Amino acid sequence: MIDTEILLRAYKLMCQAKEMALIYEANRSICRYVHSTSRGHEAIQIATAFQLVSSDFVSPYYRDESLIMAIGFSPYEQMLQLLAKGNDIFTGGREYYSHPNYKGGDKPTIIMQSSATGMQAIPATGVAQGVSYWLNEKTGNRLAESVVLCSLGDASITEGEVSEAFQFAALKQLPIIFLVQDNDWGISVTADEARTMNAFEYAAGFKGLHRVQVDGSDFEASFTTMSEVFDFVRKQKKPVLVHARVPLLGHHTSGVRKEFYRPEDDWNRHCEHDPVPKLRVKLSERGVPEDTLIQIEKLAFEFIAAEFAKTVASPEPDVLTVGEHIFAPTAVTQEKGERVPAGAGKILMVDAALFAIREIMEQHPEAVLYGQDVGKRLGGVFREAATLADRFGENRVFNTAIQEAYIVGSAVGMSAVGLKPIVEVQFADYIYPALNQLASEVSKSCYLTCGKFPVSMILRVPTGAYGGGGPYHSGSIETTLLSIKGIKIAYPSNAADMKGLMKAAYYDPNPVVMLEHKGLYWSKVPGTEDAKTLEPGSDYVLPFGNANIVTEAEPKAIREGESCVVITYGMGVYWAKAAARQMHGKVEIVDLRTLFPLDEELIFERVKKHGRCLVLTEEQQNNSFAEALAGRISRECFRYLDAPVEVLGALNLPAVPMNVHLEHAMLPNPVKVVQALKKLMNY
């Protein structure tokens, strides 16, 4: 039998949660930001929170205010987020209600929570993946004993990314509990309309994912069930799904109100299962005096009213802080180490990346590498990870399923437990399933946690056309990626830059995408021999945001106003170099090396010096990064320009054709660059 004191503690919290919902509803003009409450879900949430310890991790969802309060956060702390106040301890007024994050030693750790339904399942499973890593490494890391709780609404189970999380958790037998709170509604969509089975039934399809059901409106049943589940996961280190049936006793959100869509008979049926009166009856049966229960309810009313008044009176955020915490500070700010060591031999770009990662993994046990086919048998479809699994073991270098979303999103959780994941999407054309995680979770984490959880990761993406690769293996995606704020993007054009930027990316605490041109990997494309360079030393790092002048124009051409600068990157460097040889010393080439941060200072300086500029890209030209950059250059350098800034990119086709002649017709090349330069320079 559960101790009566535990039931009383739960009842106090339930009464507070109920009063919070009531006071929000009574003050709708003040509570103007969209929010949900936990009314109906209180019993399972509080029962679950009572099982958590400070070394655990929890990923709540937007209806989990009772769980958050039962962990130890005060109503005032939650209300500060409700009203987006400046003293909001979680996000400083940047996030919705019940979107906490926390990094301390006294409560469970909470990584960033997004509102994208079900999206927290992958980052939370990534945390469990990291916990399992430390357990397998036997380093004595205290996180090896952690349990991860991921809370979800039942409607989110239809999301494909949730199934990716279930699949990985079951496959790797990770110490995670998926708590699914099923209230039969997904906004205005009923369970019967949206899904063929509930989460408990669905989980049966994931071999190795244990599952239980519980009446989530019954606190005693919920407490007993969750106590058993946590005990199992702590001892067995295996995943469990808990399906809790609960009533929905509030609006979906303050903005989507129950009277918009819910029939009265449905509302009445849910009210019959209100967990608050249910627990009150049980306390009375235990002999708790009526006066005691009335006093608990009275104190809850008074306490919540005082907490709300204090919150309303608290200050708004300082608007000057709006631009803070986009990125965590990086220690790599200067080029260091030997770029051209004595006695070094030339290496391919693909080997430069391989050698950089090998050196990183030799020095840093927290570095892990995973993705499709990067493991022991193949070492990557481009052999870009060859030998690494043999050298470092399958706990540190391993294959994943075809799960781009999981590969990228799990890095959020891995980073939160002190690992540095280096992950790979096999081809740039296949990054799109991962954009949900990259845009919703990875890129926003540092900003929305006020710097507590920057996602320290490297995402390797082989990109570009390389001779007959076809429409799904030849695409360029930099404009798509650059539209996502909160990530850094490198695009090296040679082996030395590849190695230096890879090292800088590793030591950067922020998410970095390494765009690696497949056509430059082995220098097999005619004219790309210079992509092979002497191998820099193991200490070499090249900071982001530093462009490089690859080819200079002759001083005479500059003095006489007959020169031009080409701003480019990747394969464009080699098209430009071939074209420059036909332009008699009149062309300077700037290799951007990183697309964000961008070396605008050098770009503007060189454009002002020459007065003419061509921005060259492999991407389809219209609405591209290159066109946006040309616009920026035009604005900043307008007084210095002798001609409009020109852009040359690929033809505006939906995909790169398979046939090599059609591919050639689509892409820029040295001949097209020469033509563009002659037009720009009035030849």
Side-chain angles (χ1 to χ4, degrees):
M1 181 178 288
I2 301 170
D3 190 284
T4 302
E5 286 303 312
I6 292 175
L7 301 185
L8 282 169
R9 181 181 163 208
Y11 189 65
K12 290 175 185 177
L13 290 168
M14 281 190 191
C15 289
Q16 290 176 16
K18 181 178 179 180
E19 292 299 333
M20 289 161 74
L22 290 171
I23 205 167
Y24 302 162
E25 183 68 8
N27 292 274
R28 286 173 59 189
S29 61
I30 295 173
C31 303
R32 58 180 176 172
Y33 301 110
V34 174
H35 59 272
S36 296
T37 74
S38 60
R39 281 296 287 126
H41 295 230
E42 301 96 331
I44 186 62
Q45 290 184 18
I46 294 169
T48 300
F50 283 2
Q51 316 306 320
L52 289 159
V53 298
S54 60
S55 60
D56 291 335
F57 289 78
V58 57
S59 284
Y61 89 119
Y62 56 79
R63 203 176 293 284
D64 275 346
E65 64 180 356
S66 288
L67 186 150
I68 297 163
M69 186 163 55
I71 288 171
F73 294 102
S74 69
Y76 172 65
E77 288 170 324
Q78 293 196 74
M79 291 175 187
L80 287 170
Q81 191 171 56
L82 172 83
L83 301 185
K85 294 289 190 171
N87 295 334
D88 164 24
I89 66 166
F90 304 125
T91 68
R94 299 177 178 191
E95 259 283 27
Y96 300 99
Y97 183 57
S98 285
H99 286 64
N101 62 83
Y102 187 73
K103 192 175 186 179
D106 59 329
K107 299 179 184 71
T109 300
I110 308 174
I111 62 175
M112 188 207 83
Q113 298 306 299
S114 78
S115 286
T117 305
M119 294 305 98
Q120 74 271 32
I122 286 178
T125 306
V127 173
Q129 183 183 341
V131 169
S132 183
Y133 171 84
W134 289 121
L135 184 66
N136 292 334
E137 288 291 292
K138 297 179 173 59
T139 60
N141 191 311
R142 72 178 187 89
L143 296 176
E145 300 306 314
S146 301
V147 167
V148 181
L149 174 75
C150 178
S151 180
L152 300 155
D154 197 65
S156 71
I157 305 305
T158 56
E159 284 277 11
E161 293 183 25
V162 174
S163 72
E164 289 192 22
F166 288 177
Q167 158 73 14
F168 200 91
L171 179 68
K172 299 294 184 178
Q173 290 293 279
L174 302 180
I176 186 168
I177 299 165
F178 296 103
L179 171 61
V180 181
Q181 300 174 55
D182 184 358
N183 60 31
D184 277 338
W185 284 97
I187 308 186
S188 67
V189 180
T190 65
D192 290 341
E193 288 178 278
R195 51 192 188 267
T196 61
M197 64 192 85
N198 64 35
F200 178 79
E201 295 161 337
Y202 183 57
F206 295 90
K207 184 179 179 181
L209 178 58
H210 301 266
R211 58 198 181 112
V212 298
Q213 286 186 298
V214 66
D215 178 356
S217 69
D218 183 324
F219 178 79
E220 283 189 299
S222 297
F223 185 91
T224 299
T225 297
M226 295 311 296
S227 177
E228 292 170 352
V229 167
F230 270 84
D231 185 62
F232 172 83
V233 178
R234 290 195 196 283
K235 291 176 179 176
Q236 300 295 323
K237 309 297 183 187
K238 295 179 179 179
V240 177
L241 181 139
V242 178
H243 177 240
R245 296 299 302 266
V246 290
L248 177 61
L249 300 181
H251 310 287
H252 168 69
T253 67
S254 57
V256 183
R257 304 178 62 76
K258 66 180 187 296
E259 54 266 26
F260 295 172
Y261 64 93
R262 288 185 72 180
E264 188 174 350
D265 61 337
D266 177 82
W267 171 257
N268 292 335
R269 179 171 57 84
H270 279 242
C271 287
E272 292 173 4
H273 299 280
D274 189 335
V276 181
K278 272 190 178 183
L279 183 54
R280 196 183 199 281
V281 168
K282 290 188 177 182
L283 286 167
S284 295
E285 292 172 350
R286 290 279 190 101
V288 176
E290 179 69 13
D291 289 351
T292 300
L293 297 175
I294 291 172
Q295 182 67 4
I296 288 172
E297 293 154 7
K298 179 174 180 292
L299 290 175
F301 172 82
E302 294 171 351
F303 176 56
I304 296 305
E307 294 278 273
F308 186 74
K310 185 167 62 169
T311 306
V312 172
S314 66
E316 299 292 328
D318 181 349
V319 296
L320 297 179
T321 66
V322 70
E324 294 177 358
H325 304 298
I326 299 171
F327 293 107
T330 177
V332 180
T333 57
Q334 294 182 325
E335 187 173 5
K336 292 182 179 180
E338 290 189 277
R339 183 179 174 95
V340 187
K346 279 195 171 185
I347 58 170
L348 298 166
M349 259 185 69
V350 69
D351 288 337
L354 174 65
F355 298 162
I357 294 172
R358 184 182 67 198
E359 291 168 359
I360 287 166
M361 298 189 79
E362 286 172 344
Q363 297 176 47
H364 301 282
E366 69 276 12
V368 294
L369 172 68
Y370 57 96
Q372 295 168 35
D373 299 302
V374 302
K376 195 169 185 177
R377 294 185 192 89
L378 186 59
V381 294
F382 299 102
R383 305 294 286 157
E384 72 281 4
T387 74
L388 293 177
D390 283 324
R391 192 179 186 99
F392 299 106
E394 295 183 10
N395 193 42
R396 295 186 66 192
V397 181
F398 54 90
N399 291 325
T400 66
I402 303 172
Q403 294 182 325
E404 288 84 3
Y406 186 85
I407 291 167
V408 172
S410 61
V412 177
M414 294 282 271
S415 175
V417 296
L419 296 171
K420 177 80 176 195
I422 304 169
V423 299
E424 180 180 308
V425 169
Q426 204 164 73
F427 290 90
D429 307 80
Y430 299 139
I431 200 170
Y432 298 101
L435 289 186
N436 237 353
Q437 290 294 320
L438 195 61
S440 296
E441 310 295 328
V442 173
S443 69
K444 292 179 172 62
S445 185
C446 187
Y447 185 70
L448 293 182
T449 64
C450 294
K452 291 192 286 296
F453 289 100
V455 179
S456 186
M457 67 170 287
I458 300 173
L459 172 57
R460 299 184 65 187
V461 184
T463 189
Y466 59 107
Y472 293 100
H473 298 83
S474 308
S476 295
I477 58 166
E478 50 265 33
T479 296
T480 298
L481 294 177
L482 286 161
S483 70
I484 302 171
K485 313 310 174 189
I487 59 176
K488 298 184 180 183
I489 301 171
Y491 202 139
S493 67
N494 60 70
D497 288 352
M498 172 72 87
K499 190 171 184 185
L501 290 169
M502 189 70 77
K503 291 290 185 76
Y506 184 80
Y507 295 113
D508 196 311
N510 300 288
V512 174
V513 178
M514 295 288 297
L515 293 174
E516 305 174 15
H517 200 292
K518 302 183 293 292
L520 300 178
Y521 264 159
W522 299 288
S523 291
K524 288 183 178 180
V525 176
T528 62
E529 293 79 9
D530 289 348
K532 292 189 291 188
T533 68
L534 298 177
E535 183 184 1
S538 61
D539 60 346
Y540 180 63
V541 291
L542 177 61
F544 280 45
N546 286 266
N548 181 42
I549 300 174
V550 175
T551 300
E552 295 188 22
E554 292 181 359
K556 181 174 181 290
I558 298 173
R559 284 196 308 270
E560 295 178 358
E562 295 181 351
S563 65
C564 170
V565 61
V566 178
I567 309 296
T568 189
Y569 55 95
M571 187 63 79
V573 172
Y574 299 95
W575 293 328
K577 288 175 75 171
R581 287 193 284 270
Q582 301 180 48
M583 298 299 294
H584 313 296
K586 295 182 178 181
V587 174
E588 177 177 297
I589 301 168
V590 173
D591 180 359
L592 295 176
R593 301 202 286 200
T594 64
L595 307 186
F596 194 90
L598 186 65
D599 192 349
E600 292 186 347
E601 183 179 352
L602 181 67
I603 293 168
F604 298 153
E605 174 197 315
R606 304 318 293 175
V607 172
K608 290 174 182 178
K609 188 176 185 70
H610 294 279
R612 292 182 178 87
C613 174
L614 172 68
V615 182
L616 175 60
T617 179
E618 184 173 329
E619 279 196 298
Q620 291 91 327
Q621 183 172 325
N622 281 10
N623 304 314
S624 64
F625 157 69
E627 285 198 332
L629 177 56
R632 230 178 303 171
I633 292 169
S634 297
R635 185 171 59 251
E636 285 293 325
C637 305
F638 181 75
R639 291 173 51 229
Y640 299 86
L641 293 174
D642 298 321
V645 178
E646 295 292 340
V647 179
L648 177 62
L651 300 181
N652 298 299
L653 307 178
V656 180
M658 176 76 78
N659 181 276
V660 291
H661 302 291
L662 295 176
E663 178 188 291
H664 184 75
M666 176 189 180
L667 298 177
N669 58 43
V671 173
K672 293 180 182 179
V673 176
V674 168
Q675 292 171 349
L677 289 172
K678 287 184 175 181
K679 178 182 176 184
L680 179 62
M681 299 170 72
N682 297 314
Y683 265 59

